[in-house]
């Protein structure tokens, strides 16, 4: 029917290696470009040194904790009678390293592509776009190839997806730390730089006189590159493994489809096809003479999606007996992805009415700017929710009818796995954003001519805000489907002890309430952390301005390094509490209230986290581009009262779109993966629910 499973394993392995080789080639071609201008190179080196210093300090702390946790996992499971405890512990460490490496690759290529993009901007928009996207494609292909490589190697070694849960837990944990730490850093620096530079001192963004400028540019790399790379690495790994795990647990053959064997490997085959399609799609990212920048980027996405679907059809024919439902499930996942991309662009691009109306609201002050932006952020939740609901119902119904009633949830998991087909190209588009943002800053600080800034780096940067928002919307949608699949796997795990999860059960209801409020409690710490970091930066910049009058006069150089060090220290200091909230909540609920309460917790964190993440990321992106819309000369342009109001709205949006909102994704998946990892121990060692349940 589909040949040997071993043959498909080799296909996935080869596809992952091809993806890494292609990323290496793109990196080589980018680094071949020489940087001969001294000042841009000096500024880029400041950014590189600050980024490396932050990542070294962050990952030293993270991996010290990860090693201790790996030992705890081994001891707990070995003492609990699990002979495969070492597999879980090793998988946890490998997943942690993979997520960290994915983030570091993204950051390291960005801090080298930024100066080259800035210099290329002197030659025009198209050369700069091409170079920035090349840098982004290195990140995109590295992330998905590393994730797929780890999954297929573990599967070849163990043949048991349940033994691979440690891998996704490690990836999720590092992603949580990277998103939280990088997010606090980037927005603390950004908000602080804007509040003192633009509003108090009245100097432009990225002005070299602002001591926080380098820290702000460092933040783009540690948050939007390293944090995003780690986040989407774990999103990819978690979603694929969740689908594999569900197929493994359900097992059996339905209408000629061997779900328990071919179905387990099918999500990884989809990933291999998507890598090859992504490589082809990168060749189509070219801007025509009258085309928008986003159109050029979307051409690559459309080609990737079309080629992926052709490959999915062939794989379905060879592996899954050509079952129509399984192929249509892949189509459903792809359509969800495309709608999520469009809706996010609609609410965050200056081409559409939401951003224009937020900009107009700025003419009457800060209050109306924030109210209007918040309104559109709330509105942006409904369409993605309805689309995902429709996708779940269609995939579940089709698979139940054409494969078997026991396999409906597997159909949903296939849709989630196919949604990942665009991950590589979407990360490439996203990583283009911080590269162009840094390039604009380098151009400004290096004194490049106004034409280069206004006609090349500014338009590239404005589109970068939209691409970053699109990626966050995409990640949120995939996180929701992945979490639902993980919940289904958890439900299957506890079915022997708890065959029914009833909403009116007080334990389930208690867990549901805790889960629903958890994202709000979690993000409250992140919002406050950004405020603390921003306050420290504001105080430092004010101090430098007051002590050295020559800085604003342009006769003295600010102390960039001190600002970088301050925000690094504050970000890492604020990191621990929100991370521990995500780790400890499911463990405490599980060992005190038991598995039924955890089932409610998983549903609650999904239902509470999804709309809050959309609100924060989309609303924040809209505030940011409303500011840029005014800076393009609308409603008085830079320095006007509407612009000052929009800057304040943007500072609020910075904390929501780049720190709190994106961190909800790894939170949801950490809660889910910890629950699955510890479910066996929870079943044997819980306190309260055993009394309530049997009374």
């Amino acid at each position: 029917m589909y040949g040997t499973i071993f043959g498909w394993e080799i296909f996935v392995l080869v596809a992952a290696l091809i993806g890494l080789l292609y990323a290496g080639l793109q990196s080589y071609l980018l680094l071949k470009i020489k940087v001969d201008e001294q000042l841009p190179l000096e500024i880029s080196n400041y950014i590189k040194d600050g980024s490396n210093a932050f990542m070294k300090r962050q990952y030293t702390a993270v991996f010290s904790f990860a090693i201790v946790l790996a030992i705890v996992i081994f001891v707990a499971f070995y003492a609990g009678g699990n002979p495969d405890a070492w597999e879980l512990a090793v998988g946890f460490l490998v997943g942690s390293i993979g997520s960290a490496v994915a983030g570091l690759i993204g950051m390291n290529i960005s801090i080298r592509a930024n100066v080259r993009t800035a210099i290329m901007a002197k030659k025009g928009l198209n050369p700069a776009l091409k170079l920035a996207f090349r840098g982004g494609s290195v990140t995109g292909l590295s992330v998905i190839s590393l994730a797929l490589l780890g999954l297929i190697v573990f599967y070849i070694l163990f043949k048991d997806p349940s033994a691979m849960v440690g891998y996704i837990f490690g990836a999720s944990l590092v992603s949580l730390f990277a998103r939280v730490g990088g997010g606090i850093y980037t927005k603390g620096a950004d908000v602080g730089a804007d509040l003192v530079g633009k509003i108090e001192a009245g100097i432009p963004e990225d002005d070299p006189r602002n001591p926080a400028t380098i820290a702000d540019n460092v933040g783009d790399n540690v948050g939007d590159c390293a944090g995003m790379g780690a986040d989407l690495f774990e999103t990819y790994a978690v979603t694929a493994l969740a689908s594999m795990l569900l197929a493994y647990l359900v097992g059996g053959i339905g209408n000629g489809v061997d779900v328990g064997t071919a179905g387990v490997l099918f999500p990884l085959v989809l990933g291999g096809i998507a890598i090859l399609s992504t490589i082809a799609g990168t060749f189509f990212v070219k801007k025509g003479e009258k085309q928008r920048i986003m159109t050029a980027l979307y051409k690559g996405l459309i080609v990737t999606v079309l080629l992926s679907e052709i490959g999915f059809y062939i794989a379905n024919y060879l592996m899954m007996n050509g079952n129509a439902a399984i192929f249509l499930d892949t189509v459903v996942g792809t359509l969800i992805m495309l709608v999520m991309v469009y809706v996010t662009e609609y609410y965050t691009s200056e081409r559409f009415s939401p951003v224009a109306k937020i900009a107009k609201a700025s003419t009457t002050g800060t209050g109306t700017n924030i109210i209007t932006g918040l309104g559109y952020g709330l509105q942006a939740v409904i369409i993605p929710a309805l689309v995902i609901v429709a996708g779940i119902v269609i995939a579940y119904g089709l698979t139940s009818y054409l494969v078997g009633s026991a396999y409906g949830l597997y159909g949903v998991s296939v849709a989630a796995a196919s949604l990942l087909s665009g991950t590589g190209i979407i990360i490439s588009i996203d990583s283009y954003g911080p590269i162009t943002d840094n390039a604009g800053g380098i151009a400004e600080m290096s004194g490049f001519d106004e034409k280069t800034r206004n006609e090349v780096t500014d338009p590239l940067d404005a589109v970068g805000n939209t691409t970053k928002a699109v990626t966050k919307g995409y990640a949120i949608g995939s996180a929701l489907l992945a979490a639902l699949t993980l919940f289904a796997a958890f439900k299957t795990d506890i079915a022997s002890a708890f065959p029914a999860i009833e909403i009116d059960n007080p334990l389930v209801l208690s867990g549901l309430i805790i889960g629903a409020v958890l994202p709000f409690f979690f993000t409250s710490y992140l919002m406050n952390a950004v405020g603390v970091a921003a306050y420290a930066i504001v105080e430092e910049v004010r101090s430098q301005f007051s002590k050295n009058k020559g800085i604003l006069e342009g006769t003295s150089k600010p102390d960039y390094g001190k600002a970088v060090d301050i925000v690094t220290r504050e970000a890492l200091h604020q990191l621990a509490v929100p991370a521990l909230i995500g780790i400890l909540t499911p463990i405490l609920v599980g060992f005190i209230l038991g598995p039924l309460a955890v089932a409610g917790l998983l549903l609650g964190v999904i239902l509470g986290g999804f709309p809050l993440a959309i609100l924060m990321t989309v609303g924040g992106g809209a505030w940011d581009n409303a500011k840029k819309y005014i800076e393009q000369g609308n409603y008085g342009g830079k320095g006007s009262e509407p612009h000052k109001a929009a800057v304040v709205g943007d500072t609020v949006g910075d904390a929501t779109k780049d720190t709190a909102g994106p961190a909800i994704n790894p939170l949801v998946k950490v809660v889910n993966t910890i629950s699955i990892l510890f479910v066996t121990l929870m079943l044997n060692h819980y306190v309260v629910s055993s009394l309530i349940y049997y009374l």
Side-chain angles (χ1 to χ4, degrees):
M1 177 177 60
Y2 56 86
T4 64
I5 289 295
F6 183 73
W8 287 109
E9 290 169 348
I10 293 300
F11 166 76
V12 175
L13 184 64
V14 170
L17 292 174
I18 289 173
L20 288 174
L21 287 171
Y22 184 78
L25 174 63
Q26 292 299 302
S27 180
Y28 169 75
L29 293 174
L30 188 147
L31 296 177
K32 270 186 67 177
I33 300 172
K34 300 298 182 185
V35 181
D36 297 324
E37 298 186 37
Q38 188 58 38
L39 183 55
L41 183 60
E42 181 183 340
I43 294 166
S44 177
N45 285 334
Y46 279 134
I47 298 170
K48 180 174 69 176
D49 292 343
S51 300
N52 287 332
F54 174 81
M55 296 306 296
K56 182 179 179 180
R57 288 169 66 173
Q58 175 174 258
Y59 279 150
T60 298
V62 169
F63 277 100
S64 299
F65 177 74
I67 291 169
V68 172
L69 191 53
I71 295 171
V72 170
I73 290 171
F74 173 76
V75 172
F77 281 91
Y78 187 77
N82 187 338
D84 298 325
W86 70 272
E87 295 177 2
L88 294 172
V90 170
F92 170 77
L93 287 175
V94 173
S96 300
I97 293 169
S99 186
V101 169
L104 287 172
I105 288 174
M107 187 196 77
N108 276 289
I109 200 65
S110 175
I111 57 182
R112 288 164 174 79
N114 55 17
V115 64
R116 290 166 171 83
T117 301
I119 292 172
M120 199 63 69
K122 293 181 176 181
K123 299 181 180 179
L125 195 148
N126 238 332
L129 169 63
K130 182 180 178 181
L131 189 60
F133 181 77
R134 171 171 284 169
S137 69
V138 174
T139 306
L141 282 159
S142 297
V143 167
I144 60 174
S145 299
L146 281 171
L148 191 62
L149 183 63
L151 289 169
I152 191 59
V153 168
F154 266 88
Y155 182 73
I156 290 172
L157 291 175
F158 302 131
K159 301 293 185 185
D160 180 359
S162 61
M164 300 161 62
V165 174
Y167 178 79
I168 59 171
F169 176 41
S172 297
L173 182 69
V174 169
S175 168
L176 181 65
F177 278 109
R179 265 301 190 192
V180 170
I184 294 170
Y185 182 105
T186 184
K187 292 303 110 179
D190 193 357
V191 170
D194 283 352
L195 288 176
V196 183
K198 290 182 181 178
I199 295 178
E200 292 185 10
I203 57 179
E205 186 171 359
D206 295 319
D207 193 296
R209 293 171 291 176
N210 191 333
T213 297
I214 295 296
D216 184 12
N217 282 280
V218 168
D220 292 329
N221 293 290
V222 302
D224 290 326
C225 289
M228 179 276 303
D231 184 5
L232 284 175
F233 174 93
E234 67 93 15
T235 294
Y236 194 93
V238 168
T239 306
L241 184 56
S243 184
M244 296 172 69
L245 188 61
L246 188 59
Y248 179 79
L249 293 172
V250 174
I253 298 176
N255 195 18
V257 177
D258 188 353
V259 176
T261 306
V264 172
L265 193 56
F266 189 62
L268 299 189
V269 173
L270 298 184
I273 292 168
I275 286 177
L276 302 180
S277 300
T278 300
I279 292 172
T282 60
F283 290 98
F284 289 84
V285 178
K286 297 175 183 177
K287 183 181 178 297
E289 187 176 340
K290 296 183 178 180
Q291 280 184 333
R292 298 185 302 116
I293 298 171
M294 282 301 295
T295 302
L297 296 171
Y298 281 158
K299 283 192 297 185
L301 174 62
I302 296 300
V303 170
T304 298
V305 165
L306 291 176
L307 291 177
S308 292
E309 281 300 330
I310 293 170
F312 295 168
Y313 180 85
I314 295 170
N316 177 57
Y317 177 79
L318 296 174
M319 294 185 70
M320 311 297 281
N321 203 25
N323 190 283
I326 301 297
F327 173 67
L328 291 174
D329 291 337
T330 69
V331 175
V332 167
T334 299
L335 290 175
I336 291 173
M337 175 192 67
L338 292 175
V339 172
M340 290 291 293
V341 167
Y342 176 77
V343 169
T344 308
E345 185 186 1
Y346 174 78
Y347 281 102
T348 59
S349 172
E350 73 277 2
R351 293 178 55 243
F352 299 105
S353 62
V355 166
K357 288 181 178 179
I358 295 170
K360 184 177 180 181
S362 304
T363 60
T364 53
T366 302
T368 46
N369 168 281
I370 292 175
I371 290 169
T372 307
L374 184 60
Y376 279 114
L378 291 164
Q379 187 185 104
V381 172
I382 187 64
I383 296 177
L386 292 177
V387 168
I388 289 175
V389 167
I392 291 171
V393 171
I394 292 170
Y396 186 92
L398 282 171
T399 311
S400 296
Y401 181 69
L402 293 176
V403 181
S405 58
Y407 302 108
L409 284 172
Y410 179 70
V412 176
S413 74
V414 169
S418 69
L419 188 148
L420 296 174
S421 63
T423 302
I425 196 76
I426 287 179
I427 297 175
S428 302
I429 292 170
D430 174 275
S431 298
Y432 145 98
I435 290 172
T436 56
D437 194 344
N438 270 200
I442 291 170
E444 177 76 32
M445 287 185 279
S446 300
F448 284 12
D449 62 273
E450 203 167 304
K451 182 179 179 182
T452 299
R453 180 73 172 166
N454 292 338
E455 297 182 11
V456 181
T457 59
D458 278 355
L460 289 172
D461 183 23
V463 170
N465 282 325
T466 300
T467 64
K468 287 186 284 187
V470 163
T471 304
K472 294 181 180 82
Y474 168 75
I476 292 164
S478 63
L480 174 62
L481 287 177
L484 288 171
T485 305
L486 287 170
F487 170 75
F490 179 84
K491 182 175 179 291
T492 304
D493 271 340
I494 67 171
S496 59
F498 303 102
I501 299 175
E502 298 169 343
I503 192 68
D504 58 350
N505 183 297
L507 291 169
V508 177
L509 191 58
S510 298
L512 190 65
I513 293 170
I514 294 170
V517 302
L518 183 62
F520 293 85
F521 182 57
F522 172 78
T523 53
S524 72
Y525 278 91
L526 300 185
M527 294 293 288
N528 287 329
V530 171
V532 170
Y535 177 84
I537 281 291
V538 167
E539 290 295 297
E540 172 59 23
V541 174
R542 284 174 176 169
S543 174
Q544 289 198 34
F545 282 165
S546 64
K547 292 177 180 177
N548 187 346
K549 302 298 183 183
I551 293 176
L552 284 175
E553 295 170 1
T555 58
S556 297
K557 191 175 181 180
D559 187 346
Y560 299 123
K562 192 172 181 182
V564 170
D565 184 67
I566 285 173
V567 75
T568 297
R569 186 176 64 246
E570 291 296 337
L572 295 178
H573 180 70
Q574 300 291 326
L575 172 63
V577 172
L580 288 174
I581 288 172
I583 295 167
L584 293 179
T585 300
I587 294 175
L588 292 174
V589 170
F591 285 104
I592 295 175
L593 297 179
L596 276 179
V598 174
L601 173 74
L602 301 186
L603 286 174
V605 77
I606 294 168
L607 297 177
F610 174 73
L612 183 62
I614 292 285
L615 160 66
M616 287 185 156
T617 54
V618 174
W623 271 314
D624 194 341
N625 273 346
K627 176 200 70 176
K628 282 187 165 51
Y629 182 79
I630 293 174
E631 288 175 347
Q632 291 169 7
N634 300 294
Y635 301 116
K638 293 180 181 179
S640 64
E641 289 304 313
H643 181 238
K644 292 179 181 178
V647 168
V648 176
D650 176 38
T651 58
V652 176
D654 277 339
T656 64
K657 73 181 174 68
D658 288 328
T659 305
I664 293 173
N665 291 338
L667 169 72
V668 170
K669 283 169 284 186
V670 161
V671 170
N672 275 271
T673 53
I674 288 180
S675 300
I676 291 178
L677 183 64
F678 285 95
V679 64
T680 304
L681 297 178
M682 290 176 187
L683 284 166
N684 296 323
H685 302 91
Y686 56 96
V687 180
V688 177
S689 63
S690 57
L691 299 175
I692 297 175
Y693 186 78
Y694 290 109
L695 283 177

